[in-house]
Amino acid sequence: MPGFPFRILVVDDEPSIREMLSFGLRQEGYTVKTAEHGETALELIPRFDPHVVILDLMMPVMDGYDLCQALPQISQASMIMLTAKNTPADIVRGLKQGANDYLVKPFHFEELLARIEVQLRTRFPDLTGKRQIGSFTLDEAFHLISYRSEALSLSPTEYKLLSHFLWNPDRVLSKTAILDHVWGYDFAGEENIVEVYIRYLRDKLGDKDRKLIQTVRGVGYRFNPD
């Protein structure tokens, strides 16, 4: 999804969780900061102005429940609780405290990404809806991409790949980053699947000269909307 510089704050007292999420979310194009507990998060939020806050519940100094109550007073961010507390009572309490979503550890990173995207579309529709990029129109709500006012007939994978390019115009994307975003971190196939789908898109866009999807030799691809 990212193209607009969405900001995510990760609040967790486990360094390994902070590092893993920070790395993975940055790979997806998000701007990320981390905090080890609620008080540090409250100091960061006015300056960082996150769109989404991912917070643990059991933390020292200020726990996730207290942070969840304090955050709406200073921020419009969506809150996703990410915690090992998994009883129905825990989930109900978290949602009643103001969380917009609740995900139990251990979790799948792809599921967290999907939940983040839902929060962004819901909370910031003007930033995630219909976008004009050069001669392209991206309508996330209708899962539709048009080129020069003509709707493109795309497979789900082609749509996800072209959408990723449109959210990242003029940015060089490595094959690995594209593979992780479009096919997922657990994809067990060959890396050359990226080249195959790049060729499919070039054919559908009439990009024989490779001016739209440019190959950056030894690095990856750059999308240059005309």
Side-chain angles (χ1 to χ4, degrees):
M1 173 175 283
F4 180 88
F6 289 108
R7 297 176 295 277
I8 298 181
L9 176 63
V10 177
V11 190
D12 199 299
D13 63 329
E14 294 184 44
S16 61
I17 294 290
R18 294 199 304 271
E19 291 170 10
M20 183 271 287
L21 290 180
S22 180
F23 176 80
L25 292 169
R26 286 191 174 108
Q27 287 290 103
E28 293 297 318
Y30 293 104
T31 300
V32 185
K33 285 191 180 296
T34 64
E36 66 272 20
H37 53 68
E39 281 195 1
T40 304
L42 289 179
E43 293 173 3
L44 276 172
I45 286 168
R47 303 193 303 272
F48 184 51
D49 191 22
H51 296 92
V52 174
V53 176
I54 300 170
L55 62 152
D56 190 14
L57 288 180
M58 305 309 294
M59 297 181 291
V61 187
M62 176 185 281
D63 66 18
Y65 292 121
D66 290 340
L67 175 60
C68 203
Q69 288 187 310
L71 195 143
Q73 301 172 37
I74 60 172
S75 173
Q76 296 296 314
S78 287
M79 291 177 280
I80 300 177
M81 286 187 171
L82 182 63
T83 174
K85 294 177 72 65
N86 61 359
T87 69
D90 292 327
I91 296 171
V92 169
R93 182 184 176 190
L95 295 173
K96 283 188 174 181
Q97 293 283 78
N100 301 98
D101 203 351
Y102 195 107
L103 186 59
V104 175
K105 299 175 182 176
F107 62 98
H108 292 289
F109 186 67
E110 289 296 323
E111 181 179 358
L112 176 61
L113 287 178
R115 289 170 182 257
I116 290 170
E117 291 189 8
V118 168
Q119 291 304 316
L120 291 173
R121 286 197 297 268
T122 303
R123 197 76 153 192
F124 305 99
D126 292 343
L127 303 179
T128 59
K130 201 169 184 178
R131 300 186 74 225
Q132 189 73 36
I133 308 99
S135 297
F136 290 84
T137 302
L138 171 62
D139 193 330
E140 295 277 19
F142 289 93
H143 214 65
L144 180 68
I145 298 175
S146 298
Y147 178 49
R148 295 177 177 171
S149 301
E150 293 290 331
L152 295 170
S153 178
L154 302 170
S155 70
T157 302
E158 289 168 346
Y159 174 88
K160 192 168 184 179
L161 177 57
L162 184 53
S163 175
H164 188 46
F165 276 131
L166 288 169
W167 279 103
N168 295 276
D170 300 315
R171 177 182 171 190
V172 178
L173 302 175
S174 70
K175 281 186 182 180
T176 301
I178 293 171
L179 196 67
D180 288 344
H181 181 88
V182 178
W183 282 270
Y185 289 90
D186 55 355
F187 178 71
E190 297 294 328
E191 191 180 70
N192 65 5
I193 191 70
V194 175
E195 298 173 16
V196 172
Y197 274 85
I198 292 290
R199 186 167 67 249
Y200 291 163
L201 284 184
R202 283 172 171 159
D203 287 345
K204 291 192 174 182
L205 296 172
D207 188 24
K208 294 180 180 179
D209 297 330
R210 303 186 177 188
K211 291 182 178 179
L212 291 173
I213 304 175
Q214 301 170 349
T215 300
V216 181
R217 194 170 300 278
V219 183
Y221 300 93
R222 177 192 289 114
F223 186 72
N224 180 34
D226 63 343

